[in-house]
Amino acid sequence: MENVTIVYPGKKWIGATTPLLPPLSALPLAGVLEREGYKPGILDMRLEDYRKIDVGNQICVGISAMTGSQIKFGLKAAQYVREKDPEIPIVWGGIHPTLLPDQTLEDPSVDIVVRGEGELTLLELVRTLEKGGKLEEVQGLSYREDGKMVNTPDRPFMNLDETYDLPYHLLKSLKEYHPEKVFYYTDGRGCPHRCTYCYNSAFCRSTWRTKSTSKILDELTWAVETFKPEALDFKEDNFFVSKKRIEEICRGMVERGFDVTWHADCRVDYFRRFDKDFMDLIVKSGCHGLNLGGESGSQRVLDFVKKDIKVEETVDAIKKCREYGIQNLLFWIVGVPTETREEMLQTLKMVDLAYQLNPNSSSIVTLFSPYPGTPLFSYLGERYEMKIPKSLEGWGKWTVSTAENAFWLDHKYAKQLEYIAICSRLISHNPTLKKEIGPLVKEILKTPFSTLSKLRWRKRYFGLPVDMAIWRQMQEVRGYF
């Protein structure tokens, strides 16, 4: 019987016909607990009813959440547990509680916050709760005591070779994730760069760490032999930080005879150090697609967000990917504070140019959303303090890439940017993206939705957006937002 339940919040997935991304934040937490003799359970709210939590045998219930809708659904689970048994400690962790622990603890459905990496802190916390020990002796915790907030010292970063990310037997609906199609794998954490919109500057303190190459290859071998996936997807913020590490991984994949394609994220400026031998090696090992953060077509905006890349480097990266037959999915941001309309249009021109340079490329445009703890969040907070949510519940209503939360922009203009973002998805031709969106949506892409979106994009006209409003509503029903 489970004695620690880890809840992965989310909206019930309706009409899902494609693989769900597994609850990657919950798996390593459960893996460490199981290795130390506990009986953890993972409840994925996208697939299971949170009222299935067995409240009769819990040392604690953990909830991992990012800013936005995960908080909203996590609160539902927390309130249910509180109602059924007020004595069960409810522990929140993840990016949002880590960055705003005091505000998170103000909610009555939160007893304890695990800050930062959760594996070792949660393990020590469970042992402490089980034995009736002192919370003050556990590093990386925030909690209330006698009406006051207590923050214990930060826990040092762990050795990632001590993690266990692969307890897939704990996923009750494993088939819904279809690991035989795509196996998602996390091999490193953090990023050494300084982009002012990214949570890494606060959560990972602008550091990057990785598992050893031998551990990575052993875990990938297990995944390939167990599930025989068609593709591997490296879910890491910055996969290519170490060129030497990538060479070791790719050589190992070739030597072990992996018959899979793989995808990862890469910064465009890294391509300057990618010579022919390196490109040949990653292609030989199965590299099929790279996600690139172009972010903006305006050099001034790139400098403002401290991306530390040049527009020309994005162009060069796209060209090199075309030369080696690698698909690109490019990510762009509009509505960044201080961005002008002319600079926004420069970004849309870059979307068009990317496709011209590499027909195997596709783009996703998003309306900028500030993330707590980031420099841009502070920048906006100093100027629009009353617009930022003042409670955990308020953050649960914070929706990414919507005009309602772009409070620094004129609302009419923000709405236009929101529809530009939707339009960029509707006109996408990238096979990988279409797989992720799903067959039902793929059929819709053949309808006037897609045709009208292409016309809008060519004319740069996003007014009277009845079609895109209907599209967004359909996606909300299915659980995409």
Side-chain angles (χ1 to χ4, degrees):
M1 185 178 292
E2 299 169 359
N3 54 15
V4 179
T5 296
I6 300 166
V7 177
Y8 186 82
K11 187 174 184 177
K12 187 73 173 177
W13 197 254
I14 300 173
T17 53
T18 52
L20 281 176
L21 181 69
L24 298 178
S25 61
L27 282 167
L29 301 173
V32 168
L33 288 171
E34 185 179 50
R35 188 174 63 194
E36 297 301 318
Y38 291 98
K39 297 178 180 178
I42 297 174
L43 190 144
D44 187 341
M45 288 179 64
R46 299 169 299 172
L47 299 172
E48 303 170 69
D49 191 329
Y50 61 87
R51 289 166 291 193
K52 290 184 178 180
I53 298 174
D54 178 13
V55 296
N57 191 45
Q58 299 290 325
I59 298 173
C60 67
V61 171
I63 299 172
S64 177
M66 295 178 65
T67 303
S69 63
Q70 278 199 324
I71 293 173
K72 177 175 69 175
F73 294 109
L75 282 171
K76 288 186 177 181
Q79 289 159 4
Y80 171 78
V81 172
R82 180 70 82 225
E83 220 174 84
K84 290 295 181 181
D85 189 344
E87 300 303 314
I88 295 177
I90 301 174
V91 182
W92 285 66
I95 298 172
H96 185 94
T98 294
L99 300 181
L100 296 176
D102 290 357
Q103 187 189 74
T104 299
L105 281 164
E106 291 173 359
D107 192 283
S109 296
V110 183
D111 295 317
I112 302 169
V113 167
V114 168
R115 304 191 315 273
E117 289 179 331
E119 293 97 326
L120 299 183
T121 302
L122 180 61
L123 174 61
E124 189 176 346
L125 171 62
V126 169
R127 286 172 173 164
T128 299
L129 292 172
E130 186 180 34
K131 297 176 181 179
K134 297 179 179 179
L135 294 181
E136 64 192 44
E137 296 178 358
V138 181
Q139 291 180 318
L141 290 186
S142 296
Y143 58 93
R144 291 186 298 262
E145 186 173 70
D146 299 327
K148 296 181 180 180
M149 304 293 183
V150 177
N151 297 299
T152 66
D154 290 338
R155 182 177 295 274
F157 289 132
M158 67 185 297
N159 179 350
L160 294 187
D161 278 358
E162 296 176 4
T163 61
Y164 178 57
D165 299 348
L166 306 174
Y168 274 70
H169 58 281
L170 295 177
L171 298 177
K172 302 178 184 69
S173 302
L174 179 59
K175 65 179 182 179
E176 300 293 343
Y177 306 104
H178 289 282
E180 78 283 358
K181 294 186 179 297
V182 181
F183 186 84
Y184 297 94
Y185 178 71
T186 303
D187 57 298
R189 295 178 183 175
C191 177
H193 298 279
R194 59 175 188 153
C195 308
T196 58
Y197 54 81
C198 181
Y199 77 97
N200 265 310
S201 59
F203 190 84
C204 295
R205 302 168 217 161
S206 297
T207 63
W208 174 81
R209 294 163 298 130
T210 179
K211 300 172 185 175
S212 64
T213 303
S214 59
K215 180 178 176 68
I216 292 169
L217 288 170
D218 287 347
E219 290 187 335
L220 289 177
T221 299
W222 173 85
V224 169
E225 291 178 351
T226 302
F227 300 115
K228 298 177 175 54
E230 298 172 10
L232 299 171
D233 196 332
F234 292 93
K235 303 303 289 185
E236 180 186 342
D237 289 314
N238 200 341
F239 184 65
F240 283 86
V241 173
S242 169
K243 182 182 175 185
K244 178 182 177 183
R245 183 191 75 129
I246 300 303
E247 290 172 333
E248 292 173 349
I249 293 172
C250 290
R251 288 195 188 99
M253 293 172 70
V254 172
E255 291 168 0
R256 298 189 186 204
F258 286 5
D259 184 21
V260 294
T261 60
W262 59 267
H263 305 77
D265 292 357
C266 185
R267 280 178 58 95
V268 297
D269 55 326
Y270 287 179
F271 278 80
R272 290 177 302 183
R273 51 191 171 101
F274 293 173
D275 56 22
K276 183 179 185 302
D277 288 344
F278 181 80
M279 294 300 295
D280 286 339
L281 175 62
I282 67 172
V283 171
K284 184 178 180 180
S285 70
C287 180
H288 185 256
L290 293 176
N291 301 333
L292 308 176
E295 315 307 359
S296 178
S298 161
Q299 189 60 52
R300 190 202 66 80
V301 172
L302 290 174
D303 294 342
F304 175 73
V305 300
K306 299 182 180 178
K307 182 69 179 179
D308 294 334
I309 64 172
K310 301 295 183 185
V311 173
E312 295 77 16
E313 290 172 328
T314 299
V315 173
D316 291 343
I318 296 169
K319 288 180 179 178
K320 184 165 283 189
C321 286
R322 178 195 61 195
E323 179 183 351
Y324 287 89
I326 296 173
Q327 291 182 359
N328 289 142
L329 180 56
L330 290 114
F331 294 90
W332 309 93
I333 304 172
V334 293
V336 173
T338 78
E339 179 193 63
T340 66
R341 177 177 174 78
E342 289 70 27
E343 289 169 329
M344 180 273 291
L345 291 173
Q346 287 177 345
T347 298
L348 300 194
K349 287 180 182 178
M350 279 295 293
V351 172
D352 294 336
L353 178 61
Y355 178 64
Q356 293 168 17
L357 293 173
N358 185 0
N360 283 322
S361 72
S362 190
S363 290
I364 292 179
V365 178
T366 59
L367 172 56
F368 172 72
S369 293
Y371 215 95
T374 64
L376 268 184
F377 178 85
S378 299
Y379 174 92
L380 287 170
E382 292 168 0
R383 293 159 176 77
Y384 303 90
E385 185 175 0
M386 299 304 293
K387 300 287 186 177
I388 294 172
K390 299 297 183 181
S391 67
L392 187 63
E393 183 179 8
W395 281 111
K397 300 173 183 176
W398 189 265
T399 308
V400 174
S401 206
T402 60
E404 284 68 30
N405 290 329
F407 48 81
W408 59 96
L409 298 173
D410 171 76
H411 183 72
K412 185 177 180 180
Y413 179 64
K415 205 68 181 175
Q416 183 184 55
L417 298 185
E418 177 184 329
Y419 290 128
I420 287 173
I422 295 173
C423 192
S424 73
R425 286 180 172 270
L426 281 166
I427 65 176
S428 170
H429 66 280
N430 184 281
T432 302
L433 179 59
K434 289 182 181 178
K435 280 183 183 178
E436 291 173 354
I437 293 176
L440 175 60
V441 178
K442 194 174 179 180
E443 289 302 313
I444 294 174
L445 287 169
K446 298 176 183 177
T447 70
F449 279 98
S450 177
T451 303
L452 186 53
S453 292
K454 290 176 181 177
L455 181 61
R456 286 181 178 281
W457 190 271
R458 284 199 299 269
K459 299 294 185 181
R460 298 291 194 259
Y461 177 73
F462 303 97
L464 301 174
V466 176
D467 52 323
M468 287 182 279
I470 294 172
W471 165 267
R472 186 173 183 91
Q473 186 62 40
M474 291 171 64
Q475 301 316 293
E476 287 175 354
V477 169
R478 292 192 72 217
Y480 283 104
F481 296 99

